[in-house]
Amino acid sequence: MHSSTLYSTYTQGIVLMATNIDIIQKLNVYPRSQNQDQKKLITLSHLDRQCPLLMYLVFFYKKTTTRDFDLVFSDLKLGLEETLAVWYPAAGRLGLDGGGCKLNLRCNGGGAVMVEAVATGVKLSELGDLTQYNEFYETLVYKPSFDGDFSAMPLVVGQVTRFACGGYSVGIGTSHSLFDGISAYEFLHAWALNSHNHDKSNGKIINKKDNVAIKAVHDRGNLLVNGDANRSLGLGVTKAAAIYHLYQLIKQAMMAHQEQNHNIELADSSFVIKTFDLSGEAIETMMKKSIEGFLCSSFEFLAAHLWKARTRALGLRRDAMVCLQFAVDIRKRTVPPLLDGYSGNAYVLASVASTAGELLEELTLESIVNKIREAKKSIDQDYINAYMEALGGGERKDGNLPPIKELTLISDWSKMPFHNVGFGNGGEPADYVAPLCPPVPQVAYFMKNPKDARGVIVRIGLDPQNVSDFSNHFLGF
């Protein structure tokens, strides 16, 4: 056994001083069975190559006992072995192609990693409101060091941590080159199902129901169509608004810095992660006060409202270009549609732009919602081709652009109830699921509220100086 670095953090008025995360064991986990498909190379799409880093979620489970915890780790390990036999790319490794510039996925059976740990002297109740991001959560996941060599980085990692109260957390990291949000949810659902659907006497997996876990499809299919093919088919004429608007925002930022005789500075990383727990009743009240009589979804309303609130809090000049971008699932928008169970990244960004003055002084929430609908409707095969071609064009050598404050990004997870993933004893759902700070911390996530079917939890990274103003404008109804 060894101890991690002593860790101190402040949360909800409670100081956790000198907390030890004691590592009990660390294991490589391999697929339970092998077949020929697990030895092949998967060519990744341009969407998969945008962010090869691990994305982390922490599942919290309060209802357990210390005795039960002894089975939790072994059950999850058995379940992961079975799941990797079907989701075999998750046991592989990323690697550069022969030209040394494009990532692909080698299904080499390298395995996942699981860690068993104990949060010595800490009770879950001491963490306060689990919906509020806490830096302590970062110690509840295993973060492999790979020194920029993606071929050495596992694509799935898990850490099961026991708390002094008998509760526990399951911290999971998955490579964004492997999964988007939808496919990550399906993978985790299959893992949880396999962790509890086995006979404890011999470890054999026995499915309780047929077709509960979706059949995974790992080939990238028609998302691998390249730019030359698009042009030969007469496609690629449509501009991808999200890419076009992004380049305009970059030019605007460059001009602003030139006018001030400054170089473009790397963004300050001191974001504050703020969470807003909105009940269905609260959302309904907000909508009645602002767009009464106009029917729209909670996502459309909250996206329009958040864009306005964030732009107002930033205090931008009236003629500054501002942009709202949000992820759109393209599984059913490609021609032909992607197969059910597609396990890679299958989303593009839709985009709406205006000036700050127009957004705040002229556009009503109703008109913004209509623009959001138009942007979403524009995502067809031509748009997807243009988007993919722009990503693969090589104009940007460095994908790590500093955050642009005029750009508001939203990712809608409200249709993916991660808290229902049953890693709990007997397949029980989580008390709460917390995403950790992503590579782009200012992205706003809309998540399912586990306590309210109509509610939404909004989580966003904000500059410290904007937290108060944004909160006032976002909740100020």
Side-chain angles (χ1 to χ4, degrees):
M1 178 188 297
H2 69 277
S3 298
S4 71
T5 305
L6 295 182
Y7 191 86
S8 300
T9 189
Y10 174 84
T11 173
Q12 301 295 309
I14 297 173
V15 180
L16 301 175
M17 295 299 295
T19 298
N20 274 344
I21 300 294
D22 294 322
I23 305 302
I24 307 300
Q25 60 176 323
K26 182 177 76 171
L27 301 173
N28 290 327
V29 182
Y30 302 100
R32 181 179 294 271
S33 59
Q34 299 279 346
N35 60 56
Q36 282 303 110
D37 284 344
Q38 296 181 30
K39 300 298 182 183
K40 67 183 181 181
L41 176 75
I42 293 179
T43 302
L44 298 179
S45 75
H46 294 321
L47 297 176
D48 296 318
R49 293 172 176 145
Q50 293 309 295
C51 182
L53 301 176
L54 296 179
M55 307 290 284
Y56 291 95
L57 290 169
V58 181
F59 297 76
F60 291 99
Y61 299 91
K62 296 178 182 177
K63 298 176 183 177
T64 186
T65 66
T66 302
R67 181 180 59 82
D68 292 330
F69 181 80
D70 296 334
L71 294 175
V72 172
F73 185 82
S74 60
D75 283 350
L76 292 186
K77 177 180 176 294
L78 283 172
L80 182 55
E81 289 174 352
E82 183 69 15
T83 308
L84 291 178
V86 177
W87 297 74
Y88 53 86
R93 296 292 185 269
L94 298 175
L96 294 173
D97 62 13
C101 59
K102 291 185 178 180
L103 283 174
N104 288 312
L105 204 166
R106 294 186 174 90
C107 299
N108 60 1
V113 174
M114 282 195 66
V115 172
E116 182 180 6
V118 177
T120 305
V122 182
K123 297 179 180 179
L124 278 175
S125 60
E126 293 180 276
L127 300 183
D129 182 359
L130 293 177
T131 67
Q132 295 299 320
Y133 172 78
N134 178 344
E135 285 186 6
F136 177 69
Y137 295 170
E138 303 288 342
T139 68
L140 302 179
V141 298
Y142 173 65
K143 296 184 177 181
S145 57
F146 63 101
D147 297 325
D149 180 7
F150 287 106
S151 66
M153 185 185 74
L155 303 183
V156 172
V157 297
Q159 178 176 316
V160 185
T161 305
R162 177 174 58 192
F163 287 81
C165 57
Y168 63 95
S169 64
V170 180
I172 296 174
T174 57
S175 169
H176 209 327
S177 283
L178 187 67
F179 302 135
D180 62 8
I182 291 174
S183 50
Y185 174 77
E186 291 170 350
F187 170 78
L188 295 175
H189 174 71
W191 181 359
L193 184 72
N194 286 330
S195 297
H196 299 287
N197 288 356
H198 60 78
D199 181 349
K200 297 292 193 302
S201 63
N202 61 15
K204 182 180 179 182
I205 301 295
I206 302 173
N207 286 329
K208 292 181 178 178
K209 297 180 181 178
D210 292 330
N211 303 318
V212 174
I214 197 164
K215 181 180 179 182
V217 176
H218 304 305
D219 286 330
R220 271 30 183 187
N222 54 324
L223 289 187
L224 297 182
V225 176
N226 60 42
D228 291 337
N230 290 346
R231 282 188 288 271
S232 68
L233 293 171
L235 302 175
V237 176
T238 301
K239 279 186 177 179
I243 305 295
Y244 178 67
H245 290 160
L246 177 60
Y247 285 148
Q248 286 184 304
L249 289 175
I250 293 170
K251 286 174 60 177
Q252 177 176 265
M254 292 175 66
M255 291 177 63
H257 280 278
Q258 287 173 357
E259 289 171 2
Q260 297 168 17
N261 294 318
H262 290 307
N263 293 321
I264 295 181
E265 301 171 356
L266 290 177
D268 185 358
S269 60
S270 59
F271 283 92
V272 174
I273 305 299
K274 186 71 176 175
T275 306
F276 300 88
D277 189 345
L278 303 176
S279 67
E281 183 179 355
I283 295 172
E284 185 177 340
T285 299
M286 293 165 70
M287 292 173 70
K288 280 183 178 179
K289 289 183 177 180
S290 56
I291 51 173
E292 187 172 6
F294 178 70
L295 296 179
C296 66
S297 68
S298 294
F299 169 80
E300 291 168 339
F301 167 75
L302 289 174
H305 176 52
L306 183 142
W307 187 26
K308 265 200 161 186
R310 182 175 179 273
T311 302
R312 196 178 299 278
L314 290 172
L316 303 172
R317 68 179 194 274
R318 293 186 72 259
D319 62 343
M321 175 186 176
V322 292
C323 187
L324 168 68
Q325 297 192 353
F326 55 94
V328 175
D329 177 21
I330 60 172
R331 285 166 171 77
K332 301 302 181 185
R333 292 174 180 264
T334 62
V335 181
L338 299 177
L339 296 175
D340 288 344
Y342 181 84
S343 69
N345 286 272
Y347 72 92
V348 299
L349 293 174
S351 189
V352 180
S354 75
T355 64
E358 179 187 18
L359 176 66
L360 300 179
E361 300 167 16
E362 301 175 26
L363 294 179
T364 63
L365 285 175
E366 182 176 334
S367 62
I368 298 171
V369 167
N370 284 328
K371 288 180 180 293
I372 289 172
R373 289 174 175 172
E374 291 169 9
K376 188 173 183 179
K377 187 178 180 181
S378 73
I379 309 299
D380 57 13
Q381 186 64 61
D382 282 358
Y383 187 103
I384 295 167
N385 288 340
Y387 192 95
M388 298 278 283
E389 187 171 351
L391 291 182
E395 292 92 343
R396 282 170 49 194
K397 300 299 182 184
D398 180 5
N400 298 318
L401 282 172
I404 299 171
K405 62 182 179 179
E406 292 85 359
L407 175 61
T408 298
L409 290 164
I410 295 176
S411 185
D412 183 16
W413 287 12
S414 61
K415 293 181 175 63
M416 294 172 277
F418 281 98
H419 62 277
N420 283 341
V421 172
F423 287 125
N425 289 320
E428 292 177 359
D431 291 280
Y432 185 67
V433 181
L436 297 195
C437 193
V440 184
Q442 75 271 25
V443 175
Y445 289 91
F446 294 175
M447 298 177 291
K448 196 80 173 177
N449 191 323
K451 299 177 182 177
D452 184 341
R454 297 185 301 117
V456 176
I457 292 175
V458 178
R459 179 184 179 278
I460 184 172
L462 299 164
D463 285 317
Q465 64 268 27
N466 299 137
V467 171
S468 178
D469 284 345
F470 175 82
S471 300
N472 291 335
H473 294 311
F474 188 63
L475 299 177
F477 276 85

